Amino acid sequence: MNQTLIDELAVGLRRKKSALLQELTESHSDLQAITEERESELEESAQKDLMTRLTSRLKERDQKTIREIDAALERVAAGGYGSCENCGNEIGIGRLRALPMAELCIECATEREKRQHSDRVEESTASPERV
């Protein structure tokens, strides 16, 4: 995959993460100071501890999104961004632009959703055991 595209998507991921954190920082001056500092300073242990405490205040959905962003940024750093974690094929550029945190190609994601749907249907149609 083109490194320029990966860098562009990584910048977008960082912006999304910053936006989520900024929502929380509006009422917390400590967080506002963190978001104004350069990203390299976030690597320091004290900053990470503070970010962990503050992230715990976020809504569960936002926490999940931040975890997905962090995982995607880790894949960027490791050189695996854009490769499906299931089959190893390249994730389509369109999919990454729409969902930059994607870790599965469209085929594997579709297959996973089908399995999950099938499992839910089986659970809902299973008759309860009588004791």
Side-chain angles (χ1 to χ4, degrees):
M1 180 172 287
N2 180 332
Q3 187 61 43
T4 304
L5 176 62
I6 291 173
D7 292 343
E8 174 188 323
L9 292 169
V11 167
L13 287 165
R14 287 184 188 98
R15 284 185 183 146
K16 172 80 172 164
K17 181 178 178 180
S18 291
L20 287 169
L21 292 173
Q22 184 63 34
E23 290 176 20
L24 184 60
T25 64
E26 290 173 357
S27 62
H28 295 64
S29 61
D30 291 346
L31 283 175
Q32 201 146 22
I34 290 172
T35 59
E36 293 171 358
E37 293 176 0
R38 288 185 275 126
E39 183 180 334
S40 62
E41 293 174 1
L42 292 176
E43 298 298 325
E44 297 175 17
S45 179
Q47 297 292 350
K48 283 186 175 183
D49 291 343
L50 182 55
M51 290 298 291
T52 301
R53 287 195 313 271
L54 297 171
T55 301
S56 70
R57 296 180 188 167
L58 294 172
K59 294 182 227 169
E60 186 175 323
R61 177 185 54 86
D62 291 340
Q63 288 180 17
K64 181 179 183 237
T65 301
I66 288 175
R67 284 191 302 270
E68 290 171 350
I69 290 170
D70 286 341
L73 291 171
E74 287 176 18
R75 291 191 302 275
V76 169
Y81 182 77
S83 296
C84 178
E85 300 223 338
N86 187 44
C87 69
N89 290 334
E90 189 171 292
I91 299 172
I93 293 170
R95 178 165 172 76
L96 287 174
R97 286 195 187 279
L99 187 62
M101 293 94 66
E103 54 188 27
L104 299 175
C105 67
I106 192 71
E107 292 83 9
C108 290
T110 301
E111 186 60 35
R112 176 186 281 177
E113 289 174 13
K114 285 179 183 176
R115 279 194 314 269
Q116 289 173 343
H117 176 72
S118 176
D119 290 347
R120 284 192 301 269
V121 168
E122 287 178 15
E123 287 175 8
S124 68
T125 59
S127 59
E129 293 183 28
R130 297 191 176 188
V131 179

